[in-house]
Amino acid sequence: MAQPILGHGSLQPASSAGLASLELDSSLDQYVQIRIFKIIVIGDSNVGKTCLTFRFCGGTFPDKTEATIGVDFREKTVEIEGEKIKVQVWDTAGQERFRKSMVEHYYRNVHAVVFVYDVTKMTSFTNLKMWIQECNGHAVPPLVPKVLVGNKCDLREQIQVPSNLALKFADAHNMLLFETSAKDPKESQNVESIFMCLACRLKAQKSLLYRDAERQQGKVQKLEFPQEANSKTSCPC
């Protein structure tokens, strides 16, 4: 039996078109309840990209890791100001021979970028310029938030990249700097802050449009990230 809908002061049976419209509205409402943010993690091999994503998404440090081949994908649902948000973390291989077939897909529709270096290896820091060039070469919009992460800061006696040098680099490229350790449980809150900071910034940007929802409505619009944020957030940054 058709469900009644309100119309012109009386209850009337809903048409099949009306029910379809209600179902579409309901599915769209359900869709927009959880935003999805794609965050990619890039940097040299063995800087700890996989371990950082494990620590954030699973809360643990992996007992054993091997070199990432292609792309690893993990996700975590977080809550910011009462809104549930799904953070998708894409971890890519640092070695060129594992990356060639996946690079284009990796950079597609990215919402934020995390550049990682190993504080005990100066080469991983100097190679950041190459990673930034690759990112720019794949047309990642300038307004996409980016952060710089120095990993393995628990190895204090082996540090080769001083904090002031990393901070100058981050400032020059308009990035926030985080120094942390995916291995040290005491640093787990700092690892959380990296991705939560990005999620907060993305949520605050006033015009995040959903391509999938727009296709259901027969519209095509551009995904935009305005410079100014209209809403206040409890960003951990």
Side-chain angles (χ1 to χ4, degrees), residues 113-218:
V113 184
V114 178
F115 293 95
V116 184
Y117 68 97
D118 180 347
V119 297
T120 70
K121 294 181 181 178
M122 180 59 75
T123 53
S124 71
F125 179 76
T126 57
N127 285 342
L128 288 170
K129 292 181 179 179
M130 175 194 71
W131 293 112
I132 291 175
Q133 288 175 356
E134 179 182 287
C135 186
N136 294 337
H138 285 85
V140 175
L143 295 181
V144 167
K146 303 174 182 66
V147 298
L148 179 62
V149 177
N151 193 31
K152 306 185 184 181
C153 69
D154 57 306
L155 305 175
R156 292 176 178 81
E157 296 182 357
Q158 303 177 39
I159 291 177
Q160 295 182 5
V161 185
S163 297
N164 60 346
L165 178 62
L167 186 58
K168 288 180 181 179
F169 184 89
D171 287 342
H173 293 86
N174 194 29
M175 292 189 282
L176 292 175
L177 171 66
F178 292 86
E179 290 184 329
T180 190
S181 168
K183 185 175 183 179
D184 189 350
K186 297 177 182 178
E187 292 286 329
S188 60
Q189 186 174 358
N190 201 8
V191 174
E192 180 96 356
S193 295
I194 295 168
F195 297 97
M196 288 300 293
C197 177
L198 288 171
C200 286
R201 289 181 64 182
L202 290 168
K203 180 182 182 299
Q205 292 171 323
K206 63 182 180 181
S207 294
L208 182 60
L209 304 178
Y210 296 89
R211 288 194 178 97
D212 289 344
E214 290 161 357
R215 288 193 187 106
Q216 291 184 48
Q217 295 176 315

Side-chain angles (χ1 to χ4, degrees), residues 15-182:
S15 65
S16 59
L19 282 175
S21 177
L22 285 175
E23 290 173 358
L24 177 59
D25 290 342
S26 176
S27 65
L28 289 176
D29 288 342
Q30 186 177 9
Y31 178 86
V32 299
Q33 282 177 2
I34 298 183
R35 306 198 214 189
I36 301 175
F37 295 144
K38 176 182 177 180
I39 300 177
I40 62 174
V41 183
I42 57 181
D44 280 5
S45 182
N46 296 320
V47 296
K49 301 187 297 296
T50 299
C51 295
L52 284 168
T53 64
F54 258 98
R55 176 65 74 180
F56 171 65
C57 294
T60 60
F61 184 82
D63 295 331
K64 183 179 180 181
T65 60
E66 298 179 355
T68 301
I69 300 176
V71 172
D72 247 344
F73 171 85
R74 295 177 184 86
E75 63 183 22
K76 180 178 180 178
T77 300
V78 301
E79 187 169 317
I80 303 173
E81 296 181 335
E83 179 183 356
K84 288 186 178 180
I85 292 173
K86 184 174 290 186
V87 178
Q88 293 182 344
V89 184
W90 294 54
D91 164 29
T92 183
Q95 298 180 37
E96 178 65 22
R97 64 194 175 101
F98 293 145
R99 293 171 51 80
K100 290 182 180 179
S101 63
M102 298 297 296
V103 168
E104 289 294 336
H105 181 70
Y106 188 68
Y107 282 99
R108 188 175 300 143
N109 297 330
V110 62
H111 293 132
V113 184
V114 178
F115 293 95
V116 184
Y117 68 97
D118 180 347
V119 297
T120 70
K121 294 181 181 178
M122 180 59 75
T123 53
S124 71
F125 179 76
T126 57
N127 285 342
L128 288 170
K129 292 181 179 179
M130 175 194 71
W131 293 112
I132 291 175
Q133 288 175 356
E134 179 182 287
C135 186
N136 294 337
H138 285 85
V140 175
L143 295 181
V144 167
K146 303 174 182 66
V147 298
L148 179 62
V149 177
N151 193 31
K152 306 185 184 181
C153 69
D154 57 306
L155 305 175
R156 292 176 178 81
E157 296 182 357
Q158 303 177 39
I159 291 177
Q160 295 182 5
V161 185
S163 297
N164 60 346
L165 178 62
L167 186 58
K168 288 180 181 179
F169 184 89
D171 287 342
H173 293 86
N174 194 29
M175 292 189 282
L176 292 175
L177 171 66
F178 292 86
E179 290 184 329
T180 190
S181 168

